[in-house]
Amino acid sequence: MFSKKGSLLYASIFLSVLLSGCGGGEAVDEAGQYISTVEEIDIPDDVKVIGLGEATHGNIEFQELKKDVFEALIKNENVHVFVLEGDFGGGQQINQFIVNGNGTAEEAVKALDYSIYNTEQMVDLVQWLHDYNVTAGEDEKVYFYGNDMQRYDFSKKEVLDYYEAVNLDNNKKYADQLKNVSNDTMRELTTKQLEEINHTVDNILLDLQSNVGTYEEQSSHDAFSFALQHAQIMKQRTQLFLNEENYTKLRDKYLADNLQWIVEFEAERGHGKVFVSGHNGHIEKTSASLAGYKSMGNYLDELYGAEYFAIGTDLINSEFQALNRGSDERQIHTIENHNDLVDAFSEVEPNIFYVGFEKASESEELLNMIKSEQKMVNIGDDFRSWHRLLKMFYTIEMIPKEAYDGIIIIKEAVPTTVIDKTEVL
């Protein structure tokens, strides 16, 4: 048993940990001169990839920011490609809706098969992209992608559909070999089954790469490129299952690889700039997560340098929804976050505003903040009520100026409501 003295010491240490980082800074005089609206975000001319992070997956404001930022980029930066941290195959279903009108916005969003996106805000975004394309000229249309690889169904379908067009024998052979592969059953697959799937996908990739000329003659360059990429997505999904111990490390590498494919594919179509939206932990450049993985943003920074422009987000007060993986239920949580940077702007009037770090650097006070470690909100789609008791469970300590090129701050945020609560974990 603890002695009374030991118990007091333990309590003292626990309290110090509990309160660490909970304090904040003070408002900066005339901070308003260093902010702008989202519509006024200025991106350097030589940038190829613009990343937008979100501090949680469960706030209305972050889902609405996707549309607001992308709309500004269309108007001001001639950006016409939207990439989401979502399934590549499912993302193509959204693209078919916004470009060709196939299905409905609700059906397109559900194709992503991830509850965080089954919200009114995401449906509104996809419907807006569709309506924009209805009136846009051919050179002004927008295109949608996912760069994630955590699902099978639509990539499997696209690969088999392609073979139906170019090689019916392979269509039948691979359909049989992949018959056990689906989003619904993928977590029930044994290691032996996964290894067999991996072997089959390797054969598909080899066949496609060995017959590029013949297959393109029977289809098109674009159709072949997508079939090959869908097969790569299946390979990545399988590798994640076979390497669970390195899941987060592999996933962010694949996110970066898939985004690079999209950038290069769209560049061939005359689109020199791409917008990507994902969690802060994927967008930021410094791999600050204590989970120890190299972030997608870090890969992009190495690949593109100054041609990658990262915009982070942070919060002061947030009521948000997230999945409790312990109970498999979605719950509403509340946090209050303070650090020197967000508190510096606590007295500005707008609820949502952008702080470009080039502009902020004109203030010595703000420059010192963005060059110093700040505990910034970082909440994924798994949160327990007790996490809010320790700031280390809902923030990441990072140097803003190294992680991002600017930041959008939200002073008060409210939760999304999931339309369909079915989860595929």
Side-chain angles (χ1 to χ4, degrees):
M1 292 180 63
F2 286 116
S3 67
K4 183 176 180 180
K5 183 177 181 181
S7 297
L8 289 173
L9 177 61
Y10 177 81
S12 177
I13 292 173
F14 177 79
L15 185 61
S16 67
V17 172
L18 183 67
L19 296 177
S20 64
C22 291
E26 298 179 353
V28 169
D29 291 339
E30 300 183 354
Q33 66 180 298
Y34 300 104
I35 71 172
S36 66
T37 65
V38 168
E39 292 75 18
E40 296 170 325
I41 291 176
D42 184 36
I43 307 295
D45 293 337
D46 59 348
V47 166
K48 287 185 178 180
V49 180
I50 301 104
L52 173 67
E54 56 186 18
T56 82
H57 283 313
N59 281 115
I60 285 176
E61 289 77 7
F62 290 131
Q63 297 209 349
E64 291 180 339
L65 273 176
K66 292 175 174 60
K67 172 186 175 293
D68 295 340
V69 172
F70 189 56
E71 184 174 14
L73 293 176
I74 293 173
K75 294 177 180 178
N76 303 330
E77 308 294 339
N78 197 33
V79 178
H80 294 277
V81 181
F82 189 119
V83 183
L84 180 72
E85 179 202 338
D87 178 51
F88 182 86
Q92 284 308 294
Q93 306 311 300
I94 291 179
N95 193 61
Q96 286 298 315
F97 170 68
I98 70 171
V99 175
N100 300 317
N102 297 357
T104 66
E106 290 84 358
E107 292 167 344
V109 169
K110 286 185 178 180
L112 292 172
D113 195 30
Y114 199 3
S115 288
I116 62 171
Y117 296 132
N118 279 346
T119 66
E120 178 183 337
Q121 291 73 38
M122 281 299 297
V123 171
D124 288 347
L125 165 64
V126 171
Q127 186 65 53
W128 179 83
L129 293 170
H130 167 274
D131 295 347
Y132 173 90
N133 275 345
V134 168
T135 59
E138 196 62 34
D139 292 339
E140 298 301 316
K141 290 187 182 299
V142 296
Y143 301 89
F144 191 98
Y145 290 86
N147 68 325
D148 212 340
M149 70 313 296
Q150 297 186 103
R151 299 292 186 268
Y152 274 123
D153 283 0
F154 286 107
S155 286
K156 171 186 170 180
K157 180 181 184 302
E158 292 300 324
V159 168
L160 294 178
D161 285 353
Y162 185 74
Y163 271 118
E164 188 174 17
V166 301
N167 189 326
L168 194 55
D169 289 340
N170 277 357
N171 166 272
K172 295 177 180 178
K173 177 176 68 175
Y174 294 134
D176 181 64
Q177 293 177 3
L178 296 172
K179 61 185 177 183
N180 294 322
V181 177
S182 74
N183 292 350
D184 290 338
T185 63
M186 63 183 182
R187 294 192 178 276
E188 301 169 5
L189 297 170
T190 65
T191 299
K192 181 180 178 181
Q193 287 175 312
L194 288 167
E195 289 172 346
E196 291 172 350
I197 292 166
N198 192 63
H199 180 68
T200 297
V201 176
D202 279 342
N203 287 337
I204 291 172
L205 289 167
L206 179 61
D207 177 70
L208 290 170
Q209 293 162 343
S210 300
N211 294 283
V212 53
T214 302
Y215 289 164
E216 284 192 355
E217 285 181 6
Q218 297 179 67
S219 56
S220 68
H221 171 70
D222 285 2
F224 174 85
S225 297
F226 269 100
L228 185 62
Q229 180 61 15
H230 280 294
Q232 292 284 7
I233 295 296
M234 293 186 68
K235 172 74 174 181
Q236 293 169 358
R237 170 65 274 188
T238 307
Q239 283 298 305
L240 289 179
F241 279 130
L242 289 171
N243 296 275
E244 292 274 4
E245 70 279 6
N246 292 313
Y247 195 102
T248 54
K249 293 180 180 179
L250 281 175
R251 183 177 172 228
D252 267 64
K253 177 65 167 63
Y254 293 154
L255 286 170
D257 290 344
N258 296 335
L259 183 60
Q260 183 181 4
W261 182 89
I262 295 165
V263 171
E264 293 174 356
F265 180 83
E266 285 296 331
E268 292 181 3
R269 299 167 67 174
H271 299 137
K273 296 183 178 183
V274 168
F275 169 69
V276 58
S277 173
H279 193 272
N280 274 349
H282 300 305
I283 297 297
E284 65 94 7
K285 305 176 184 180
T286 61
S287 301
S289 172
L290 293 177
Y293 64 90
K294 185 174 180 179
S295 66
M296 177 186 73
N298 197 329
Y299 286 110
L300 298 179
D301 188 43
E302 291 178 352
L303 182 63
Y304 297 111
E307 294 177 330
Y308 175 53
F309 192 91
I311 303 170
T313 55
D314 207 356
L315 297 158
I316 297 180
N317 295 302
S318 174
E319 188 178 14
F320 65 95
Q321 65 86 8
L323 178 68
N324 181 331
R325 293 190 187 273
S327 64
D328 290 344
E329 295 180 352
R330 291 201 166 271
Q331 300 169 343
I332 303 296
H333 306 276
T334 302
I335 60 165
E336 181 177 345
N337 176 60
H338 293 281
N339 59 52
D340 290 343
L341 183 56
V342 296
D343 287 346
F345 297 93
S346 59
E347 294 183 2
V348 301
E349 185 175 346
N351 184 50
I352 302 175
F353 51 90
Y354 174 69
V355 180
F357 288 162
E358 183 176 357
K359 178 68 174 178
S361 296
E362 296 173 5
S363 162
E364 183 177 354
E365 194 171 1
L366 290 176
L367 178 60
N368 288 335
M369 292 178 191
I370 61 177
K371 290 173 63 177
S372 303
E373 288 186 339
Q374 305 288 336
K375 290 183 172 67
M376 305 177 72
V377 173
N378 187 81
I379 298 171
D381 193 39
D382 181 14
F383 199 84
R384 319 295 171 90
S385 296
W386 59 269
H387 285 179
R388 64 187 296 272
L389 299 177
L390 288 174
K391 196 166 185 178
M392 63 179 290
F393 288 118
Y394 62 88
T395 64
I396 286 184
E397 195 166 67
M398 62 174 65
I399 299 174
K401 199 172 190 301
E402 295 180 1
Y404 305 114
D405 297 284
I407 189 170
I408 296 173
I409 296 175
I410 301 174
K411 295 164 69 175
E412 302 281 342
V414 296
T416 54
T417 298
V418 172
I419 298 171
D420 177 7
K421 295 186 179 180
T422 302
E423 294 289 343
V424 179
L425 304 180

